[in-house]
Amino acid sequence: MSDDLAAARNWFMRHWRENRWFRWGAGLLALGLIVLALGWTLLARGLPDAETLLDYETPLPTVVRGVDGEIVHSYARERRVQLQYVDFPTTLVEAYLAAEDRTFFTHGGVDLAGTANAVFDYASKMGSGERAVGGSTITQQVAKNVLLGDEYSVTRKLKEMILAQRIEDVLSKREILELYLNEIPLGRRSFGVQAASRAYFDKDVADLDLHEMAFLAILPKAPERYGRSQNEGLALGRRNFVIDQMVANDFITAEQGAGAKSMDLGLVQQRQERSADAGYFLEEVRRQLIEKFGETAEESGNSVYAGGLWVRTSLDMELQDAARDALRAQLLSYHGNRGWTGPVATLNPENGDLIGQLRSSNLGINYEDWRIGVITERSGSSASVGLTDGETYPLAAAPDALKVGDAVAVQQSGEGYRLRAVPEVSGAFLAQNPQTGRVLAMQGGFDARLGSFNRATQALRQPGSTIKPFVYATGLDHGLTPASEVPDQTFCYYQGANLGEKCFRNFGGGGGGVHTMRWGLEQSRNLMTVHIAMDAGMPNVIKTFEQLNIGSYEPYPAFALGAGETTVERMVNAYSALVNWGRLHQPSVIDYVQDRQGKVIWRSDQRECTNCNMPEWDGQPMPRLGISGKQVMDPRTAFQTVHMLEGVVTRGTAVRLRGLELPLFGKTGTTSGPTDAWFVGGSPQIVAGMYVGHDQPRNLGGWVQGGNTAAPIFKRFVEASRERWDGDEFIAPAGVRMVRIDRRSGKRVFDGTPSNEPTAAVIWEAFKPDTEPARATRQDEIAAKRNAILEQIRRGRVAQTRSLAPVRREEAPGDFVEEQGGIY
């Protein structure tokens, strides 16, 4: 060995002394090696650390589940599904090896023969603008996709080679393949073979046939080219080449290859991501997740669009469907025969390709067989409408106001389409579990695809008379009872020199006399409400509103009648507190969030449960969770208010709901104009609230009231989900006494059977201890009978003195007096 080295050294020195050209060549070679070493060092010095791949996590979408655990949606800008190496079929792995890197298991990260071929191809195409073949191994592609990016340059290729060798030192071959098959971009917004399998064939990888696996293996070269229907011939040729390579490498038999090559591509059309029709609810979930965890991987490792979160929500799809359909039906009913009221959006023809603009706008509608289209042509009375499938159809009966660029709702009619009117009036609906605060259903308008503004949580509206129960609750806390008599008479107060005197009146006018507090709430009497508010003190009323998170207002009497602004969500939550004996929860749409490993990283129920997770039972009583929510109202006051609100359904302004034959409570509301019609109420298990009104408030029509416009929405909702309403009665808390009273006078009675019938003379009423009407004594009864006898004697004497004078008999007041739909 030493002799060989000595001989080589002597040969080199002899040529160095004797041959000038040898000296020049050796010097240039040495200089080149030095430059190459320096360049290599500079490139390698700034490269990412390959060891970061040990902790690398594939960006994954957030998956959302409903209350029953079923997947209802995913938040994803890319299609991604992460699998373990054992989940990939062996034949699929072999297809990728045949197509991309047949020497994968033998090279050290770089295939020298492939690299030489790539260099030659690059040199031959230099200056032509044509992209050369990559020559990258699977390891190099991992380096590019995960660590470097897709820059097209010699420098990037060199960096890729350095990193590939480092990756081979850090990861096993299986780990590299797993990363590759989960990360490789394959077109149709798909990254990884499982996502691509779903996008191109609507199958999981385990269900793919051989020819389908071979097709997926051709996509890394040119996914956007091979995935298009117009390039089917190119895709078939490349797929068959991969199949031939699989045969040549003994991955499959010749017979299997021939059978696979005889198959068509079999690609499915691109489909929208599967999602429940609960757009407003799901957008609220997304908004809250972004607030908690961030939107992108740069913001948080548990971000919405990369963290791979699993989110359990309170969304109940049965109730959601019922809520959506009930609100839509009422909006359409109100719209009636008003006809087309204008486009749902307007696109700019000057921006070109109106159908392309429509696709990117994400406008849509999910009602019957309606579709959203864009007017592409208008000539005289005829028009053409383009749909997102790229086709254009004639539009029948085009109104004069219709113009090119209008996005409209249409329905198929014969060979063409006809306009359909999305109601101009809108509204919102929200249903909640009063015991937990969990939102079960949310509909913030006609369809979330027409606009993301959520009227259930974002629209500030005047609640009208739905605010009154909290005024009455304040009165109950300040000395009144449901049987207290309150004047139904004009109330005026002086507002100052600039505003003068303000006088209130009942809805529809009228009034007079003195009535029980219960009757005033059942019949929604404005004057009685103002009297109660002023007697209890408006600052106290405002404090009640604030404690229930309805809103914060100035202590003016108008706010006792619903002049302040609030949201449907807040009103439903406040009514839920009434049902829940005065305990207020924060409304929640998310139950808990898990990271990609399944660890719970956030939950809405923050109660501690000591010893709930002990490894073995210690023989002590089972651990119990504490009471949730915040006590904001006397439980007895809350029940008294609910008990009176049951009368609103039995004989008051929501009497149309009595036919449901369920124990229900609730309150209607109609704002001045009227501009909004409300109903909030429900059962011990479900409380719901809704309103109907224009986004820019304006008069709905003099006939509109909460009882005939909003209450029917609740009725449809219950009818569509009837099996979810078990008929349980409202339960009184400790400290409430149920006493028989005369319904009209509020006096205590000792005979007669209380009834829930609307015309019952005797009812049960709820009182706090020592506030019920006083017990009558025996002497009181004797005195009452004596006075009645004396009155009869007096009338007899008067009749005798009138001799033959004719007797005029006045009719007694009828038993039924309608007041805004109620019964007296």
Side-chain angles (χ1 to χ4, degrees):
M1 185 75 176
S2 59
D3 292 341
D4 292 339
L5 289 174
R9 180 179 178 277
N10 292 333
W11 177 88
F12 180 84
M13 294 303 295
R14 186 175 69 253
H15 283 78
W16 181 267
R17 288 191 304 267
E18 299 175 355
N19 192 330
R20 183 177 60 179
W21 296 109
F22 181 84
R23 288 196 300 271
W24 279 101
L28 289 173
L29 178 61
L31 181 61
L33 290 173
I34 292 171
V35 171
L36 181 62
L38 287 173
W40 190 270
T41 301
L42 290 173
L43 286 173
R45 187 171 60 181
L47 291 178
D49 188 352
E51 290 193 357
T52 59
L53 294 178
L54 292 171
D55 300 319
Y56 176 77
E57 291 183 331
T58 299
L60 294 176
T62 290
V63 178
V64 182
R65 297 180 183 272
V67 71
D68 58 358
E70 292 295 321
I71 295 176
V72 295
H73 190 65
S74 66
Y75 303 116
R77 296 192 174 110
E78 301 166 344
R79 292 186 174 99
R80 289 183 183 267
V81 181
Q82 186 174 19
L83 299 181
Q84 303 297 316
Y85 182 79
V86 294
D87 298 323
F88 298 114
T90 301
T91 305
L92 179 64
V93 174
E94 292 170 342
Y96 274 92
L97 294 179
E100 294 293 312
D101 191 357
R102 62 184 179 84
T103 62
F104 173 75
F105 282 102
T106 58
H107 64 62
V110 178
D111 182 359
L112 295 179
T115 301
N117 181 58
V119 171
F120 177 79
D121 191 61
Y122 180 81
S124 65
K125 293 178 178 176
M126 187 177 297
S128 67
E130 187 179 352
R131 188 160 181 161
V133 298
S136 296
T137 64
I138 283 177
T139 312
Q140 287 176 264
Q141 292 183 59
V142 168
K144 177 185 70 174
N145 293 328
V146 179
L147 298 176
L148 290 177
D150 197 24
E151 176 193 356
Y152 181 61
S153 69
V154 174
T155 302
R156 194 268 297 166
K157 181 63 68 174
L158 293 173
K159 291 179 179 180
E160 183 183 291
M161 294 169 67
I162 297 171
L163 271 178
Q165 292 175 322
R166 294 180 179 180
I167 291 172
E168 291 277 350
D169 293 334
V170 172
L171 302 179
S172 68
K173 290 290 187 178
R174 281 193 169 197
E175 289 172 330
I176 295 171
L177 268 176
E178 180 181 309
L179 196 54
Y180 173 77
L181 293 173
N182 280 320
E183 288 290 325
I184 188 71
L186 298 173
R188 293 195 179 183
R189 296 191 304 112
S190 301
F191 289 77
V193 294
Q194 169 62 22
S197 179
R198 275 288 170 191
Y200 289 100
F201 300 110
D202 199 23
K203 291 182 179 181
D204 294 323
V205 290
D207 301 323
L208 291 174
D209 295 325
L210 174 57
H211 71 281
E212 294 166 335
M213 295 180 185
F215 172 81
L216 294 183
I218 74 173
L219 292 175
K221 295 294 184 187
E224 298 305 328
R225 182 198 305 168
Y226 293 135
R228 297 180 183 276
S229 58
Q230 60 265 36
N231 297 326
E232 183 176 351
L234 290 173
L236 279 171
R238 177 65 182 170
R239 183 203 68 178
N240 292 344
F241 169 77
V242 171
I243 294 173
D244 288 338
Q245 291 298 303
M246 294 179 73
V247 174
N249 285 277
D250 294 326
F251 293 147
I252 58 174
T253 66
E255 290 77 14
Q256 289 175 314
K261 290 166 66 174
S262 67
M263 303 296 293
D264 294 331
L265 288 181
L267 306 184
V268 299
Q269 292 292 323
Q270 292 199 51
R271 300 178 181 179
Q272 294 292 330
E273 297 291 337
R274 285 169 286 188
S275 175
D277 190 10
Y280 294 105
F281 190 106
L282 295 170
E283 177 58 22
E284 180 66 18
V285 171
R286 190 187 77 94
R287 184 187 64 78
Q288 292 188 19
L289 288 173
I290 289 176
E291 286 182 0
K292 291 178 174 67
F293 303 108
E295 185 172 358
T296 62
E298 290 73 21
E299 298 176 65
S300 166
N302 292 316
S303 64
V304 173
Y305 287 99
L309 302 178
W310 290 85
V311 182
R312 177 65 71 91
T313 71
S314 55
L315 176 63
D316 187 313
M317 281 309 303
E318 181 182 358
L319 297 181
Q320 175 64 36
D321 289 345
R324 177 201 63 213
D325 294 344
L327 179 63
R328 284 179 176 174
Q330 187 61 27
L331 297 181
L332 289 166
S333 175
Y334 175 86
H335 184 81
N337 296 320
R338 288 178 173 84
W340 188 69
T341 55
V344 298
T346 302
L347 307 179
N348 189 351
E350 295 182 1
N351 293 334
D353 190 9
L354 286 169
I355 294 179
Q357 290 186 55
L358 181 64
R359 286 197 194 100
S360 60
S361 72
N362 293 320
L363 287 171
I365 196 167
N366 185 26
Y367 178 73
E368 295 184 348
D369 58 348
W370 292 15
R371 301 177 67 179
I372 297 297
V374 60
I375 303 303
T376 57
E377 183 180 348
R378 183 66 202 262
S379 177
S381 60
S382 63
S384 298
V385 60
L387 303 179
T388 53
D389 59 9
E391 298 295 328
T392 302
Y393 302 90
L395 185 71
D400 294 339
L402 192 68
K403 62 184 183 299
V404 172
D406 284 345
V408 294
V410 294
Q411 184 180 36
Q412 190 167 9
S413 176
E415 296 298 321
Y417 281 79
R418 58 176 176 170
L419 279 177
R420 304 305 296 172
V422 175
E424 192 176 17
V425 71
S426 195
F429 185 109
L430 187 143
Q432 185 179 49
N433 181 330
Q435 314 303 326
T436 62
R438 298 167 74 214
V439 176
L440 305 173
M442 181 190 299
Q443 188 70 15
F446 193 86
D447 197 309
R449 298 164 188 81
L450 299 175
S452 61
F453 181 65
N454 189 342
R455 296 161 187 84
T457 60
Q458 296 175 297
L460 291 171
R461 315 291 295 201
Q462 291 183 336
S465 293
T466 58
I467 203 80
K468 290 178 181 176
F470 307 101
V471 178
Y472 280 66
T474 307
L476 292 172
D477 277 338
H478 288 80
L480 295 176
T481 76
S484 296
E485 293 189 321
V486 179
D488 184 27
Q489 299 164 2
T490 300
F491 184 93
C492 299
Y493 76 102
Y494 185 66
Q495 301 179 98
N498 292 331
L499 299 177
E501 189 176 55
K502 166 72 174 179
C503 292
F504 293 91
R505 66 182 182 87
N506 285 318
F507 184 93
V514 178
H515 303 278
T516 65
M517 191 177 183
R518 165 180 282 278
W519 183 84
L521 186 55
E522 290 177 353
Q523 305 304 321
S524 196
R525 305 298 284 180
N526 289 348
L527 294 176
M528 294 178 68
T529 303
V530 174
H531 277 286
I532 292 169
M534 299 305 286
D535 288 346
M538 273 307 300
N540 293 322
V541 173
I542 298 302
K543 183 179 179 181
T544 299
F545 295 165
E546 292 175 348
Q547 288 176 329
L548 288 155
N549 198 33
I550 294 171
S552 181
Y553 315 115
E554 296 296 326
Y556 301 138
F559 291 115
L561 301 179
E565 292 182 332
T566 188
T567 66
V568 173
E569 180 184 52
R570 291 182 179 183
M571 289 304 296
V572 171
N573 202 47
Y575 273 70
S576 291
L578 293 176
V579 176
N580 201 32
W581 294 353
R583 295 193 73 85
L584 183 73
H585 292 92
Q586 287 297 320
S588 65
V589 294
I590 302 172
D591 291 344
Y592 58 85
V593 180
Q594 297 168 279
D595 64 17
R596 66 175 69 211
Q597 281 79 36
K599 179 183 176 182
V600 175
I601 57 176
W602 185 88
R603 57 189 176 97
S604 62
D605 190 344
Q606 298 293 329
R607 292 176 294 170
E608 294 294 332
C609 186
T610 306
N611 294 329
C612 278
N613 293 323
M614 66 174 65
E616 295 182 2
W617 181 46
D618 59 2
Q620 298 301 310
M622 183 181 296
R624 302 291 185 189
L625 288 167
I627 299 175
S628 63
K630 178 183 178 182
Q631 194 72 48
V632 296
M633 182 184 290
D634 186 328
R636 301 167 301 175
T637 298
F639 178 78
Q640 286 179 298
T641 306
V642 169
H643 192 57
M644 287 191 290
L645 289 172
E646 288 185 85
V648 174
V649 176
T650 302
R651 56 189 153 264
T653 57
V655 69
R656 69 177 58 233
L657 302 179
R658 192 172 70 233
L660 293 171
E661 298 181 350
L662 286 169
L664 297 172
F665 83 117
K667 184 71 186 73
T668 59
T670 311
T671 61
S672 297
T675 58
D676 293 312
W678 283 75
F679 176 80
V680 187
S683 74
Q685 294 79 33
I686 302 173
V687 174
M690 60 229 68
Y691 85 88
V692 172
H694 294 282
D695 287 342
Q696 297 298 321
R698 66 175 189 265
N699 196 307
L700 292 171
W703 59 274
V704 170
Q705 296 181 28
N708 61 28
T709 302
I713 300 174
F714 182 79
K715 187 174 183 180
R716 289 189 180 98
F717 173 68
V718 175
E719 290 172 340
S721 57
R722 193 64 171 78
E723 67 280 1
R724 302 294 297 277
W725 303 77
D726 54 22
D728 288 349
E729 300 282 349
F730 295 92
I731 299 175
V736 171
R737 297 182 179 179
M738 303 302 294
V739 176
R740 284 183 294 189
I741 66 168
D742 180 87
R743 179 172 60 84
R744 292 183 177 85
S745 67
K747 302 296 184 182
R748 189 169 184 177
V749 298
F750 296 94
D751 55 1
T753 302
S755 169
N756 289 328
E757 292 298 318
T759 58
V762 179
I763 62 171
W764 289 113
E765 192 58 273
F767 295 92
K768 298 171 185 174
D770 301 324
T771 65
E772 60 266 37
R775 181 182 293 274
T777 65
R778 178 65 177 165
Q779 293 299 321
D780 294 332
E781 294 179 6
I782 293 173
K785 290 183 179 180
R786 182 181 67 237
N787 291 336
I789 292 172
L790 291 175
E791 179 64 18
Q792 289 180 351
I793 293 173
R794 187 188 66 79
R795 289 179 178 176
R797 289 175 177 173
V798 170
Q800 289 179 358
T801 59
R802 289 179 178 174
S803 185
L804 298 177
V807 178
R808 181 184 178 190
R809 182 178 179 182
E810 295 188 2
E811 294 184 359
D815 289 335
F816 301 85
V817 176
E818 294 291 336
E819 181 68 31
Q820 294 177 218
I823 296 175
Y824 182 33

